[in-house]
Amino acid sequence: MFSAVHGPCARKRGALRLATAAAVTGLVAAGAIAGAGGAFADTPDQQGLGGATATIQGLEPGSYADAVVQDDDGEKNVSAGLFRMNVDGGGTLRTYCIDIHNPTQREAKYRETPWSGTSLANNANAGKIRWILEHSYPQKNDLAGLAQAAGIEGKLNNAEAAAATQVAIWRYSDNAKVTVKDEAGEKLSEWLYTSAQAAEEPKASLTLDGASVAGKAGQKLGPVTVHTNADKVTVTPSEELKAAGVKVVDKTGKAANSAVNNSQLFFDAPVGAQQGDGALRLSATTQVPVGRAFASDSKSQTQILAGSSDSTVNAEAKVTWAKQGAIPAVTVKKDCAKGGVDITVTNKGDKPYPVTVGGRTVATVPAGASKTVLFPVAEDAKYDFTIAGRHFSGTLDCKTAGAGTPTPSSKPSPASAGGSSTGIKGGTDLAETGSSSATPMIAGAAIVLVLLGGGTVFFLRKKNTAGR
């Protein structure tokens, strides 16, 4: 976000997380659902959703300026403007913050994330934030025209435009009382804020429907449907698929080594193939759509995309096959609106699939059916569980820090201020409070649910398998 808070407010939030981690240390339990499928490496919590991953570098030089946050104790000076991220595999992203009170972790890793997996899920003004991004800097590089639209006399520079855009966003993302110090910047910020209209969430740069499939050997398993704004997606099967003789094909049965938007891919498992599993990696180069959210499991402040160069994006699909018995396919997705993660289990076998967690059966998925379990997770808590031999982990970060801390500190944090004017790796001074001793303790605590005793509550509902 902006110059994140570095004083009492930030320390209060960090202390709360530290206490939470300590309190649950003796209560951590791993959820295991027994069934077909071999062990996988750690799987991203947003399996199949794909997109860009990047490392934050700091505020962009020449694209931030001073702002003032008002609270009951007076005025606090902060820096507001554009952040820069380096994309894994190549590319650059420019982002604004949507969590004004939360510090930025040094060189934190970020993943392109649906709004449903961030604080935007519960924000009725999320669409207005996207409108601001589309109608201001850097999407609108004609600063003279931007100034004219806002009724500003005189010139408007990059720093003023970036600060104005960030401040207008904070008013919607955090309900913050914040203004730009510069008169021209403040006038632009007010124009953006009052002019904003609701816009839809942008589509992902690369995502998959049916990112986890299963079925009997000898059948064509799928489909995995590709959604992307890239011209072409490269399709690469894992070594496990190659060794088992499982081919990746299109809907006509022809071998597929590439895909485009709306392509359907299938796994052709040979008759008699022994029980097994594998993965398919999809990669492309494209510009990530403006308004996509970027979240970090390290609790670094959530970002929203303002601009993208051509960047590398990836997604992954999983497949399980067997000759008989219960054959589960599993997908996991954060659900901030409901306060947990949705775990969908689809049984493509010929026998019922008992869903067992912590030694207790909580549901049974009939052959050919699908069920979704809402897995409750506390805010800021880390979840870590294994389903059908696959490991899922992540942190639920669904609220802005301001939800529990009403005002920022009187000392602006280097996190959002970006520290030095270089704003690049090695030169930025991202918040040290963000990488305090609380962070590793949180990361080390695998908080799922207190599964001991009768404390686990699941909400089960059947869902149509279509579109999963």
Side-chain angles (χ1 to χ4, degrees):
M1 93 190 186
F2 83 125
S3 352
V5 294
H6 171 64
C9 197
R11 289 197 296 268
K12 178 180 178 182
R13 183 173 171 86
L16 177 60
R17 291 178 181 157
L18 182 60
T20 301
V24 301
T25 299
L27 299 176
V28 172
I33 297 183
F40 276 80
D42 287 6
T43 303
D45 55 0
Q46 301 285 74
Q47 178 186 339
L49 295 177
T53 56
T55 303
I56 197 163
Q57 301 300 306
L59 282 175
E60 185 173 281
S63 292
Y64 64 93
D66 293 336
V68 178
V69 179
Q70 298 176 340
D71 60 27
D72 293 339
D73 296 325
E75 297 182 345
K76 312 296 189 295
N77 293 326
V78 298
S79 293
L82 271 174
F83 281 90
R84 183 165 56 189
M85 293 190 193
N86 290 341
V87 178
D88 297 346
T92 302
L93 306 178
R94 303 168 85 186
T95 62
Y96 289 106
C97 153
I98 52 173
D99 190 358
I100 190 171
H101 296 276
N102 194 31
T104 305
Q105 306 289 337
R106 186 182 300 276
E107 295 186 7
K109 298 289 290 185
Y110 282 80
R111 182 186 304 125
E112 185 179 342
T113 304
W115 287 4
S116 61
T118 71
S119 61
L120 295 178
N122 299 310
N123 188 334
N125 291 314
K128 292 185 177 181
I129 295 174
R130 186 190 177 187
W131 187 96
I132 291 171
L133 293 166
E134 295 279 9
H135 291 81
S136 190
Y137 181 77
Q139 287 301 304
K140 299 297 183 182
N141 281 314
D142 179 6
L143 297 186
L146 188 59
Q148 184 178 10
I152 299 171
E153 296 181 1
K155 294 183 178 180
L156 186 70
N157 60 39
N158 291 353
E160 293 164 347
T165 307
Q166 176 65 93
V167 165
I169 289 171
W170 282 334
R171 292 175 184 173
Y172 282 124
S173 65
D174 296 77
N175 292 319
K177 295 181 180 179
V178 56
T179 57
V180 184
K181 272 193 173 183
D182 176 82
E183 182 178 351
E186 174 54 25
K187 194 164 186 177
L188 174 58
S189 178
E190 183 64 19
W191 177 78
L192 290 169
Y193 177 73
T194 57
S195 300
Q197 302 174 26
E200 293 183 355
E201 177 180 2
K203 295 180 180 180
S205 59
L206 175 61
T207 189
L208 307 175
D209 287 341
S212 180
V213 299
K216 292 184 178 181
Q219 298 179 348
K220 192 166 64 173
L221 311 180
V224 176
T225 305
V226 180
H227 298 290
T228 183
N229 63 350
D231 293 333
K232 180 181 178 180
V233 178
T234 300
V235 175
T236 306
S238 67
E239 293 302 320
E240 291 81 1
L241 293 183
K242 295 177 182 178
V246 177
K247 298 179 180 179
V248 179
V249 299
D250 61 20
K251 60 184 178 181
T252 68
K254 183 180 178 181
N257 55 20
S258 65
V260 295
N261 187 41
N262 293 325
S263 288
Q264 289 189 326
L265 302 174
F266 298 82
F267 298 91
D268 191 356
V271 176
Q274 295 298 314
Q275 175 181 314
D277 43 37
L280 183 66
R281 185 172 182 82
L282 296 92
S283 301
T285 300
T286 187
Q287 291 187 6
V288 182
V290 171
R292 291 295 291 172
F294 279 79
S296 173
D297 282 340
S298 68
K299 295 302 300 173
S300 189
Q301 58 196 351
T302 306
Q303 305 279 316
I304 192 163
L305 188 69
S308 168
S309 69
D310 286 345
S311 299
T312 300
V313 297
N314 298 289
E316 188 175 63
K318 302 283 191 179
V319 61
T320 299
W321 63 90
K323 296 180 180 179
Q324 59 187 7
I327 313 174
V330 183
T331 58
V332 169
K333 180 181 178 182
K334 288 182 182 178
D335 191 339
C336 283
K338 297 177 182 177
V341 292
D342 286 325
I343 304 171
T344 299
V345 180
T346 301
N347 180 11
K348 290 294 186 177
D350 52 24
K351 291 184 179 181
Y353 177 61
V355 180
T356 304
V357 179
R360 176 178 298 183
T361 298
V362 296
T364 298
V365 183
S370 178
K371 285 189 177 181
T372 294
V373 177
L374 175 65
F375 201 87
V377 181
E379 176 68 10
D380 288 344
K382 183 176 177 64
Y383 57 89
D384 192 310
F385 50 82
T386 299
I387 303 174
R390 299 180 184 179
H391 185 205
F392 299 87
S393 64
T395 301
L396 198 71
D397 184 12
C398 293
K399 299 178 181 178
T400 60
T405 48
T407 59
S409 164
S410 58
K411 297 180 180 180
S413 166
S416 36
S420 72
S421 60
T422 61
I424 59 174
K425 183 176 180 180
T428 186
D429 184 17
L430 299 182
E432 295 182 0
T433 51
S435 55
S436 69
S437 59
T439 301
M441 290 194 67
I442 297 163
I447 304 171
V448 181
L449 286 172
V450 179
L451 299 181
L452 305 180
T456 304
V457 179
F458 281 87
F459 299 88
L460 300 179
R461 67 184 184 278
K462 286 189 177 181
K463 281 194 174 181
N464 191 311
T465 57
R468 295 202 180 285

